[in-house]
Amino acid sequence: MATSRGAGRALGCLESRKNITGSACGLVGLVLTFTGVAGPYWPVVVVGLYGAGALIAPPERPALPDFPDPSAQLDEVRQDFERLRGYLAEVGLPPTAAERAGRLEEVLTALLDPGRAAELLAQDPEGLHVLARAVRQDIPEAVDAYARTRWWTRLTPGQRPPEEHLERQLSLLDEEVRRLADTLRDAEARRQESHTRYLEDRSQ
């Protein structure tokens, strides 16, 4: 293992920009030696040119991190959404909250369904972030807080029912997700209008 790492580092040094540039300059020194320009000091000339080349070579640029592309991220959110739907089915929400959660699920299903909406989301990092946050954080936290709070409400009656908070939270999330859907729809509408203007201008 240590030998392979050492060999990898040695190969990396050989392939580095500094070594390549220094070697090219060193070859110039050898040419000067063979033509008699360097004279008896040719080793100093060759080494000096190699060192100068290594110094002027541009620094190595580290490789970019290999992050998943937007399509892969969308696939991950789609898988997480399926897990979220299973969780919501097990919680046992009160009727009004269940109805609002169902409406929210419908919009999320439409946005995550492979098709044009998914293509637009793959090109919209902010929209993808909003969707992923709703699926992975906002909805699970809202439902989990309700599930934990309703147990305490049985011990301390007279408090504000936890389902009111849940219903309000689901309504706000539904509005946020629908705004995202409206934004994607408007983007498609602008694209269609632009194409119409392009055809109109071309026909003149």
Side-chain angles (χ1 to χ4, degrees):
M1 182 66 72
T3 303
S4 63
R5 284 199 297 266
R9 284 196 295 270
L11 183 60
C13 290
L14 290 175
E15 296 177 345
S16 68
R17 296 179 182 180
K18 290 185 178 296
N19 184 60
I20 292 173
T21 307
S23 298
C25 292
L27 287 175
V28 173
L30 290 176
V31 171
L32 294 176
T33 299
F34 293 136
T35 57
V37 176
Y41 302 104
W42 67 269
V44 177
V45 173
V46 172
V47 173
L49 286 174
Y50 176 87
L55 287 174
I56 65 174
E60 295 294 325
R61 188 177 69 243
L64 289 171
D66 186 19
F67 295 126
D69 60 33
S71 296
Q73 295 179 42
L74 195 57
D75 288 338
E76 292 175 1
V77 175
R78 192 176 289 117
Q79 294 171 8
D80 292 341
F81 177 58
E82 290 304 316
R83 286 195 290 270
L84 174 63
R85 295 179 71 174
Y87 166 70
L88 293 177
E90 293 178 2
V91 171
L93 298 177
T96 303
E99 179 184 352
R100 295 184 184 182
R103 290 203 303 265
L104 182 55
E105 281 187 49
E106 289 178 2
V107 182
L108 290 171
T109 300
L111 289 173
L112 289 170
D113 185 55
R116 186 58 188 166
E119 293 177 12
L120 291 172
L121 274 172
Q123 302 169 13
D124 182 6
E126 182 61 30
L128 184 56
H129 171 71
V130 169
L131 198 62
R133 184 179 58 193
V135 170
R136 294 170 172 166
Q137 177 181 333
D138 294 334
I139 299 175
E141 286 188 5
V143 175
D144 182 61
Y146 162 76
R148 286 184 284 107
T149 306
R150 70 177 171 182
W151 183 84
W152 289 102
T153 304
R154 297 169 185 168
L155 301 179
T156 57
Q159 304 294 321
R160 183 179 179 184
E163 54 266 26
E164 290 185 10
H165 287 288
L166 176 61
E167 292 164 8
R168 178 57 178 157
Q169 291 166 6
L170 292 175
S171 295
L172 292 171
L173 289 170
D174 183 63
E175 292 172 6
E176 182 179 47
V177 173
R178 288 182 188 276
R179 282 196 300 270
L180 173 59
D182 290 340
T183 300
L184 297 178
R185 181 197 60 201
D186 292 343
E188 284 289 77
R190 287 193 298 270
R191 178 173 175 271
Q192 185 183 35
E193 292 170 1
S194 297
H195 190 59
T196 299
R197 288 194 298 270
Y198 163 73
L199 294 176
E200 290 173 346
D201 294 340
R202 196 175 68 180
S203 64
Q204 294 176 358

